[in-house]
Amino acid sequence: MLAATLTRGSRSGALAASKNLSLARSAVQKTATRSCGLVAAVDNVWSPSPSTTSSNAAILHDINVLRQTTSRIVHRGPDGQKLTRGSMSTGGYGKWAMGHQRLAIVDPNSRTADMPFRYDFHSSGKNMSGDSKVVNLAANGEIYNHKELYAELVNEHGWKIDRGSQSDCEVIGHAYACLGPEEAVKRLDGMFAFVVFEEGDEATGKAPRAFAARDPVGIKPLYYAKTADGCGYAFASELKSLVGHVDTSTVKQVPPGHYWTPETGLVCYYNPDWLRKDDFAPWEEGKAPSIDEVREGFNAAVSKRMMADVDYGFFLSGGVDSCIVSQVLMPRYRAETGDDRPIPAFTVGMENSPDVMAARAMVDALGGERHVDHRQRVFTPEEVFNLIPKIIFHMETYETELIRSAIPNWLLAERAGADVKMVLTGEGADELFAGYLYFMDAENPRQIQNELRRIYGMLGDINLHRTDRMTMAHALEARVPFLDTKFTEMAMSVDPALKIVDKEAVQTNSPGREKTYLRNMFEGPNENGHSIPRPVLWRAKAMQCEGVGEDWVSMLQRKVAAEVTDAEMDNAHITYPLNTPHTKEELYYRRIFEDHYAGMAHVVNAWEGGCRAGGAAWESDAYTRTGLNNVGVLSHSLQEPVSHSLQEPIAARGFSTSTNARRSFSSFARTGVSSGRRQFSSVSLAVDEAVQSATSCGFDEHEGWLTAGGDDRNLVKKETGTNKYHCAPRPIEDGQIFRGSCTCNVPTKRGYGASQVLFDKLKAASDLDEALQNVFDDQRKRIAETLDLPDGCEVIICPSGSDAEYLPIAIARVLQPETQTGRKIVNIVTQLREIGAGSAPSAAGKFFSDYAPLIGKVPDGLASLNGFHEDEVCEISIPARTPDGAVVDASAEASKLAEEALENGSYPIIHGVFGGKTGLIDAVMPGSTAGGEHSLGVVDACQGR
């Protein structure tokens, strides 16, 4: 064969060699793989106007500027830097420059595969036409079919030039020269972004060429723009390398599946039928792949991405997608590498969060520590807030939903990057199998297919943007087998009727929920006999910002909102006329973005409507621009019950209260104490501080006490700072008085103390009792009319929350005939663990807090309310779910228990839950037999609202 000259160019600014790595695996042939970063610039020698063909951009003329600009993306490739420059013609006309940062994944100390490459190809191949080609290439990514493609060039196209290195990216240059750029890019199978400058020859009249391309899905990024003087072009893997060199108004990204030339501009080269045609429906012609074929397609996609000669691992979020990747990977990892060491798996989340607990269960299912080295990054919300500016700098976006998920992803990549250079991830499955919860509101299969096409088209701007930026910020390569182009075509050829989401199944964590087709596909064991645990296989889809801790997003939002003033929000449409922020969270992120990338706001492709679901063809309230509405659906049975403590409020730990003045309540702020009530000798200091904070912001004294007593009556878990539903104490939003629901508020000392002060002040108003009586009378009347109750019915208004459980016991005693008074009351409570934490003890007449209404601190040794002793009242709880996560038929269980109680001579109270904390509803709402003479039915409709 003829030889190609593969020259090395300048190596100015080479960085230190890579981190010390473990033994390379002998079972895999060495291939110089890398995921790096590039910078390039070229004079616009194609301009018809001579005055605009030569740029004075410093990046083209000053090697130190090129070095500094390339170093801005050193995080993408800290193992080496290489800079090259040259002319676009043999006569020296037109300048070009390239810089490259290398992340070495094989032979880290070898420089033979450093980019940029400069190829001097001699005559060969059908497209060479007897001429030489001088091609300069800078690439970022991974070409999985490099061996097969090079063999095709040799065997089918007469290519006679040897490869000069083992780099997978080198084949790009060979294919470019042999097939031509437009055809070559279509043959590449992998994740990539590259720029080629082909030099012209004035003697032969051969024109210079420039060509840039990005992979079909958008896994690797590439931006371009005109230089500041308009006389050249600049390219970069990240926006930060364009800052200061370009006209910001001209900055664009090369879209996924597109290439660019100066003559044609952007051209789409990847546009398969399933993506292009609205009427694509092979399932209607019997041509849809079988579930076995789809499974094998994914297995092949995973195997393809195991090409590496260094230690690697996988991200294990605990979601079904990453668990499927791990289930497929594990037996192949052993077979193909011959390595019996545990493979590293990386998880991020708050302690006892849905993701962390599911990931731990999956590790156990894969054989435990013998096979998987599980490395976890457990964090607390407070530690990450200061990372936000750094994360936005690397993310190069202000898209809110994206930034939320990027924060835990940063911590995950940071942890993994300290140990390995490559990981496999589960990204992309939701875009192929209808994985987001808002799909449960789709009206028909065609809507699902079209929506999947829409969100697939945003992958390069959202999911893959986050994956690339957060991993590469820590010199870590992420590979995404779900987005293999062959597998994607198979998945999108599946009948979308099989991807329909059943709302009821979502609530019960059962087949029929989102991604049922995918879950069914991998329900069985892998080659090692390992299966995905059922609670993990059927758990709810959680975006990473949700799965790491259900209430973490709202905590984040409150924190960043405190950094934005009302005046800034009022002027947001003036300050940011493009993609105007709608919330303080959005404005906070936008402000940081503008600090780094002023003039580039148009480059960000944000979700229509402010969230992923905003552009769907159907209405859904599952997601809004502030996130998932019902985070309770994310909880699962693998999460452990933990100890609780009464905790002081968040407001006392540094969160501000309101900044807005409120109307005066001076008419109520009178002194006076009722001698008939027990008095608190003191109120905790936290209350005084909260009141002072509120009054300093414009509240009057009455509002100060009301605010202090109502913002965080929380039963808080010591380990995480949240309650059993993973909700944190809720600080007061600006301009609001907050009264939380029973979901995240139960009494604390501070709440009772503040309420007592308010009661004492208001009691002095002589007309208070009469005013309240009128309000309650009106409520009773309206309830009776709404329910069409017959005359003589007594409407009893119960307080919300666990206090209400005491009332049915008292009512039951009143309803029992005198001859049967004294029967033991059996109080049957359903949906344990998904209703209020105090429901079970209070249903037995026991106190559920250290403090109780009216009496304050419960005396030591007093366990039950007066008259409610263990020999008179007992409570039976029915869990909402079995240990494996399946929903219990609580209504049927309650009926059986009620029959047993009647047979034993007891008086049953049967509860029915019309909407638990996670959306469960008992199948039957109980009634009262014989007007309450024999049993009492109670309906908890608090969450049914």
Side-chain angles (χ1 to χ4, degrees), residues 655-702:
F655 285 88
S656 64
T657 55
S658 175
T659 58
N660 296 341
R662 307 286 287 184
R663 62 185 177 87
S664 172
F665 278 74
S666 57
S667 60
F668 287 92
R670 305 173 185 170
T671 59
V673 176
S674 170
S675 59
R677 301 286 183 178
R678 172 176 174 168
Q679 306 304 313
F680 282 78
S681 58
S682 64
V683 180
S684 68
L685 179 63
V687 181
D688 294 331
E689 291 178 346
V691 173
Q692 293 172 10
S693 176
T695 54
S696 68
C697 293
F699 285 92
D700 64 25
E701 185 181 13
H702 173 92

Side-chain angles (χ1 to χ4, degrees), residues 160-175:
K160 300 178 181 179
I161 298 179
D162 289 331
R163 296 177 66 167
S165 75
Q166 288 300 309
S167 169
D168 58 294
C169 287
E170 186 194 334
V171 77
I172 298 174
H174 289 267

Side-chain angles (χ1 to χ4, degrees), residues 425-503:
T425 84
E427 291 288 354
D430 298 308
E431 285 70 21
L432 303 181
F433 296 100
Y436 298 102
L437 290 173
Y438 73 94
F439 275 94
M440 65 183 172
D441 294 312
E443 299 170 0
N444 55 64
R446 177 51 61 182
Q447 279 191 343
I448 287 183
Q449 183 77 358
N450 289 340
E451 178 66 4
L452 292 177
R453 293 163 65 202
R454 182 184 75 89
I455 62 177
Y456 177 91
M458 286 288 285
L459 277 168
D461 297 293
I462 305 295
N463 305 54
L464 297 176
H465 182 107
R466 166 181 44 78
T467 299
D468 175 82
R469 295 303 199 283
M470 294 298 91
T471 55
M472 294 308 296
H474 298 95
L476 181 68
E477 175 180 292
R479 300 181 184 176
V480 286
F482 275 110
L483 294 175
D484 181 89
T485 52
K486 291 182 180 179
F487 176 72
T488 295
E489 184 171 359
M490 296 179 71
M492 294 302 291
S493 297
V494 170
D495 187 348
L498 300 175
K499 302 175 185 179
I500 288 283
V501 181
D502 179 5
K503 287 186 178 182

Side-chain angles (χ1 to χ4, degrees), residues 37 90 107 120 176 185 188 311 389 442 448 456 538 540 545 696 741 743 747 754:
T90 53
D107 296 337
D120 188 356
Y176 175 99
V185 70
L188 302 177
D311 285 342
I448 287 183
Y456 177 91
W538 293 105
C545 55
S696 68
S741 76
T743 303

